[in-house]
Every structure is written in C-alpha cells, then in structure tokens.
Amino acid sequence: MQMKKFMILTLVLVVAVTASSCKAETALGLDIKLGAPEPAQTATQNKPEEKVIQGKLEPVYEGKIDNLEFSIGDSLEKVIAELGEPLELAYFEGSSYIRYENLSFMLDKVIEKTSDEAAVSGIIISEGSELYGVKVGMTPNEIKNILGAASQEYKDGEGDEEMWKLEYQCGDYSLTFFFNDSSSPSTSAYLNKLQL
C-alpha cells in the first residue's frame, strides 16, 4: 500500500513540475504547443528552393538589382531612355539581349532593332561590378560569407562548357553567380524570374 501511494505521489509531482515548466517557458515568450511530434525532416522536405533568404538580397524578391534603376519586367524603352543606345543588340537562346559596358539585359522576345517593343526578362552583371554588397569577381566562399548560404550550389555542363553555379532563390526570382570551378572568381551574375 505504501508503494502505491509513493507511485501516485511521484506521478503527481512529475505532472506538476511539467505543467509549471511549460508555464515558465510561455512567460519567457516561448510559444510551446503540445501535440503530436513533428516528423523528422528529410532531404526532400527541406528543398533548397524553399529556403527564405533575407537581408541584403531583399531587392531580389522584387526582381531588382540593388544599385540599378531597372527591374525584371521593365520596358526596353525605359532602359534605353536611361542608359542610351546599347553597345550591342544580339540574339541568344531564343531571345534578344542588349549589352552595355558591364551590364546586359535579356529581353522577353526576339527583336530586330532597339526601337521595337520588348521587356526585360533577365539582368546580367559582368566582372568588376558590385551588387548586394558583393563584387562580381569574388570566389563562392567570399560571396557566401557576405550573402549567406546559397539555395543551390552545383556544377553544370561538361567539358569546355563546364561551370560552377551559386544560386540564391528569392520568391519568384533567382540570382545566380557563375564561376569556372568551385573555388575560382565569379565571372558574372544573372538575375531572372523563375519559370513556374
């Protein structure tokens, strides 16, 4: 009989201590919800594209480069009105682009002349330019030290076409830095809207 009373008393004490512990944590601002335990996260549950990147990359969520007047979706007419006629109007992989000194704009369609209507679909920043607190020409590690871990980091292509990519996905947009390999300086950066 004594053993039974001791067990009941022990159980009551455990419940009381647990309840007071939860109240103390809630008072400290910790929001604890009791219920079924969360399943362990697997690699498929924590996909790189689901990461939320904040801080210096906030303008990317709006399709903007932090030190430019232009964003994804702006008209070619607006770009030319601000920057003047480009050094080059050319064609690449199904669309046209215009090139300035350290800056190029991919367009949403093929055009014949710069007076044609088109919209910016991507912005390419060349080596030596600065954006989001980093400089194109930094290594992957230097960029990650400033911007944080990338959404994806991977080798793309093979042979002479092989390159290393460091990609930050921010909402509907992606900012990708390009390198010759995983430790070389970046050669360019590309901001574009993700194909959903």
Side-chain angles (χ1 to χ4, degrees):
M1 190 69 160
Q2 285 288 29
M3 187 61 128
K4 200 178 215 182
K5 285 183 181 178
F6 179 74
M7 292 291 286
I8 291 171
L9 182 60
T10 303
L11 184 58
V12 169
L13 281 172
V14 167
V15 169
V17 168
T18 303
S20 68
S21 171
C22 288
K23 286 180 185 172
E25 288 176 351
T26 304
L28 293 172
L30 301 174
D31 187 18
I32 297 175
K33 301 201 180 347
L34 300 176
E38 294 285 326
Q41 283 200 342
T42 64
T44 56
Q45 289 173 318
N46 191 17
K47 296 177 184 171
E49 60 268 22
E50 293 174 352
K51 287 183 181 178
V52 176
I53 299 167
Q54 299 176 354
K56 294 185 179 198
L57 292 178
E58 285 297 325
V60 177
Y61 285 90
E62 298 174 14
K64 296 180 179 179
I65 302 285
D66 61 345
N67 55 3
L68 283 182
E69 300 285 327
F70 312 104
S71 61
I72 304 296
D74 282 348
S75 69
L76 172 61
E77 180 182 27
K78 178 180 177 180
V79 173
I80 291 175
E82 183 70 29
L83 299 178
E85 284 295 320
L87 299 173
E88 179 182 24
L89 166 62
Y91 174 82
F92 180 74
E93 292 188 358
S95 65
S96 294
Y97 71 91
I98 57 171
R99 183 181 64 81
Y100 292 92
E101 190 67 36
N102 290 323
L103 181 65
S104 297
F105 295 91
M106 295 299 297
L107 304 175
D108 63 347
K109 59 185 170 185
V110 176
I111 60 170
E112 297 296 322
K113 51 193 181 303
T114 56
S115 59
D116 291 345
E117 281 190 25
V120 173
S121 63
I123 303 172
I124 302 167
I125 308 293
S126 302
E127 191 171 359
S129 300
E130 291 190 26
L131 65 160
Y132 312 111
V134 302
K135 192 170 187 176
V136 179
M138 290 180 165
T139 65
N141 285 341
E142 289 171 329
I143 291 172
K144 289 186 286 187
N145 284 339
I146 295 169
L147 298 181
S151 303
Q152 296 185 66
E153 187 173 359
Y154 57 96
K155 181 181 86 166
D156 192 21
E158 294 190 22
D160 291 342
E161 301 293 317
E162 184 178 301
M163 67 179 71
W164 191 259
K165 294 182 179 181
L166 190 65
E167 186 175 319
Y168 291 88
Q169 294 179 4
C170 302
D172 294 337
Y173 298 92
S174 173
L175 174 67
T176 306
F177 292 90
F178 296 88
F179 312 83
N180 292 326
D181 58 51
S182 63
S183 60
S184 66
S186 54
T187 57
S188 61
Y190 180 49
L191 174 67
N192 69 309
K193 189 164 187 175
L194 294 168
Q195 301 298 319
L196 302 175

